[in-house]
């Protein structure tokens, strides 16, 4: 593990009065030098970074001067987790969840290294991190849809007919941000729309309703680690596995059924980042093609998941979910039995690492 520290000033949240630099880690998976951080320096420099290096652990990853960071490669993962390192994906951005495990903070923001600062319609740089924090520090409304979207935003409120008994909302566990320029498309859509770019900036945040699953993207995502952290497992993907590029979506499906069960909320919409790199659709198709077939069984499975009332912690929910994955999805492919084992190993590793803290 490589660690570097620099002196930074405290950044205070106008919403909470707390020093957010002491409450939030930024997790970045990468295989290359992190030059992209220069654009993010005004927003990221006060925060602690956890860099998870994928691929060859002997390659030297350079981080620009002035950032406070720790860097883990595969050798570190094997050393820290021992045999349980088998649950951490190799040669896939799913390795980022190791950073979630190692964090000691309440909040996590994760971003890909091909994502840059976007501009709002007025031309002003978007502070994505600030908007995510606002989303996480205000309640969600999963039980009744507000047609003015997020009623806790400045200039908005609950509309006529919204039950007063539900206006307190529930704690927000996940803030799912969006992307300008390169959309988060699957390979078949990339192939038929190779030149399509997202230029629409929609100034809205909404709560995803209870009982509704969604395709979570990990390239611009924040969450409350204390509320949902153990469920943010990005699965077993990449090298040696029959599937890739479903890591964040798997985590999103698992997290959504657990947040619904435990009474938390998920928001999506603002903030936007600028996604700069269109990945190769033919390479993506090779990684995705089994998932494209499997998702027709996976999504109905998650839509029908029922968790027992005595599952009152995220860990308990996740272990129960692993049992149901094994029971109901192993008939789709033996891979899901292996994934269920990895889900259990992940929780064991999470518990081990975090109890030692």
């Amino acid at each position: 593990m490589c660690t570097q520290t620099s002196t930074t000033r405290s950044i205070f949240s106008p919403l909470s009065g707390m020093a957010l630099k002491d409450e939030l880690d930024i997790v970045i998976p990468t295989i290359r030098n992190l030059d992209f951080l220069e654009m993010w320096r005004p927003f990221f420099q006060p925060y602690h970074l956890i860099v998870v290096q994928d691929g060859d652990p002997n390659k030297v990853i350079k981080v620009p001067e002035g950032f406070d960071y720790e860097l883990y490669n595969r050798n570190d993962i094997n050393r820290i987790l021992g045999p349980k390192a088998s649950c951490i994906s190799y040669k896939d951005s799913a390795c980022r969840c190791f950073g979630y495990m190692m964090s000691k903070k309440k909040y996590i923001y994760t971003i890909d290294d091909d994502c840059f600062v976007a501009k709002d319609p007025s031309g002003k740089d978007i502070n994505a991190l600030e908007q995510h924090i606002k989303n996480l520090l205000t309640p969600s409304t999963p039980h009744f849809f507000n047609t003015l979207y997020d009623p806790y935003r400045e200039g908005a409120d609950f509309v006529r007919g919204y039950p007063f008994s539900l206006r307190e909302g529930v704690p927000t566990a996940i803030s799912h941000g969006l992307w300008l320029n390169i959309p988060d498309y699957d390979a078949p859509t990339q192939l038929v729309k190779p030149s399509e770019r997202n230029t629409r900036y929609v100034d809205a945040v909404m709560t995803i309703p209870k009982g509704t699953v969604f395709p979570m993207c990990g390239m611009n995502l924040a969450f409350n680690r204390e509320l949902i952290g153990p469920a943010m497992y990005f699965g077993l993907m990449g090298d040696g596995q029959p599937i890739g590029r479903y890591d964040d979506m798997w985590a999103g499906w698992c997290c959504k059924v657990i947040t619904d069960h435990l009474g938390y909320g998920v928001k999506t919409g603002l903030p936007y980042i600028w996604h700069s790199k269109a990945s190769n659709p033919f390479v993506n198709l090779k990684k995705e093609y089994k998932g494209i077939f499997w998702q027709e069984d996976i999504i109905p499975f998650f839509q029908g998941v029922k968790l027992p009332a005595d599952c009152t912690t995220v860990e308990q929910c996740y272990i129960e979910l692993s049992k149901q994955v094994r029971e109901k999805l192993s008939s789709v492919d033996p891979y899901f039995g292996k994934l269920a084992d990895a889900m259990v190993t992940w929780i064991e590793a999470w518990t081990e690492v975090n109890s030692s803290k």
Side-chain angles (χ1 to χ4, degrees):
M1 181 188 73
C2 175
T3 304
Q4 178 170 317
T5 305
S6 64
T7 304
T8 56
R9 61 188 179 85
S10 294
I11 298 295
F12 291 91
S13 163
L15 295 174
S16 67
M18 68 180 176
L20 282 181
K21 80 175 187 67
D22 298 326
E23 296 288 333
L24 183 143
D25 280 334
I26 300 172
V27 174
I28 306 167
T30 193
I31 58 171
R32 57 181 64 88
N33 294 334
L34 296 184
D35 299 330
F36 91 113
L37 285 173
E38 288 296 351
M39 177 176 276
W40 287 101
R41 188 180 291 276
F43 307 119
F44 287 2
Q45 190 164 357
Y47 295 89
H48 181 66
L49 312 181
I50 300 178
V51 181
V52 183
Q53 177 180 342
D54 198 14
D56 182 4
N58 296 313
K59 181 179 178 180
V60 177
I61 297 293
K62 295 181 180 178
V63 180
E65 290 291 329
F67 286 94
D68 170 28
Y69 71 92
E70 53 193 301
L71 187 153
Y72 297 96
N73 61 33
R74 193 71 203 188
N75 292 338
D76 298 313
I77 294 171
N78 292 337
R79 174 179 53 81
I80 292 167
L81 298 186
K84 294 184 176 66
S86 61
C87 71
I88 304 298
S89 299
Y90 181 61
K91 293 188 177 179
D92 192 280
S93 65
C95 67
R96 77 177 78 217
C97 61
F98 179 76
Y100 309 159
M101 183 185 290
M102 298 309 296
S103 173
K104 303 175 183 66
K105 305 291 179 60
K106 182 175 182 178
Y107 301 104
I108 296 287
Y109 176 53
T110 185
I111 185 171
D112 285 1
D113 61 14
D114 61 352
C115 296
F116 298 95
V117 178
K119 295 184 181 295
D120 66 19
S122 72
K124 181 181 177 182
D125 285 350
I126 296 170
N127 186 345
L129 194 51
E130 180 182 57
Q131 180 63 52
H132 276 298
I133 292 299
K134 288 179 179 178
N135 292 346
L136 290 171
L137 293 181
T138 52
S140 293
T141 54
H143 302 292
F144 201 88
F145 190 81
N146 191 56
T147 51
L148 273 180
Y149 305 118
D150 191 343
Y152 303 99
R153 287 189 67 191
E154 185 177 348
D157 210 323
F158 293 96
V159 297
R160 179 170 55 90
Y162 200 100
F164 283 87
S165 60
L166 296 177
R167 295 190 181 193
E168 186 177 343
V170 302
T172 300
I174 300 171
S175 171
H176 180 256
L178 299 177
W179 345 270
L180 294 172
N181 195 36
I182 307 294
D184 186 32
Y185 285 160
D186 55 34
T189 308
Q190 283 182 298
L191 285 167
V192 298
K193 295 182 174 181
S195 301
E196 183 161 293
R197 299 293 180 265
N198 181 37
T199 59
R200 291 194 312 143
Y201 177 97
V202 181
D203 187 17
V205 177
M206 65 183 75
T207 296
I208 300 174
K210 182 177 181 180
T212 301
V213 292
F214 74 112
M216 188 174 81
C217 174
M219 75 172 87
N220 177 26
L221 179 73
F223 60 93
N224 185 321
R225 187 177 177 277
E226 293 181 358
L227 292 186
I228 199 63
M232 272 289 176
Y233 176 49
F234 276 44
L236 202 56
M237 308 275 165
D239 193 57
Q241 309 305 328
I243 187 175
R245 284 175 55 82
Y246 272 80
D247 51 328
D248 43 8
M249 290 184 286
W250 179 263
W253 295 327
C254 292
C255 284
K256 188 55 167 64
V257 299
I258 292 174
T259 55
D260 284 353
H261 176 75
L262 295 178
Y264 305 139
V266 178
K267 292 184 178 182
T268 186
L270 300 180
Y272 285 92
I273 50 86
W274 182 268
H275 185 208
S276 68
K277 188 173 65 179
S279 51
N280 187 309
F282 295 100
V283 174
N284 291 346
L285 185 59
K286 185 177 179 181
K287 296 177 180 179
E288 292 175 4
Y289 79 96
K290 287 193 174 183
I292 291 169
F293 291 104
W294 290 348
Q295 69 187 13
E296 302 306 318
D297 292 297
I298 296 172
I299 293 171
F301 161 74
F302 280 107
Q303 289 172 327
V305 164
K306 302 294 182 188
L307 297 174
D310 60 356
C311 287
T312 57
T313 68
V314 176
E315 290 89 342
Q316 290 171 344
C317 290
Y318 204 71
I319 293 297
E320 171 60 29
L321 191 53
S322 74
K323 295 175 184 176
Q324 296 191 31
V325 167
R326 183 188 312 281
E327 177 188 343
K328 298 180 180 178
L329 291 180
S330 290
S331 59
V332 175
D333 192 274
Y335 161 76
F336 289 99
K338 187 177 180 181
L339 177 55
D341 289 339
M343 292 169 72
V344 174
T345 302
W346 161 262
I347 291 296
E348 291 172 349
W350 179 282
T351 303
E352 226 173 72
V353 168
N354 286 278
S355 63
S356 67
K357 292 175 186 177

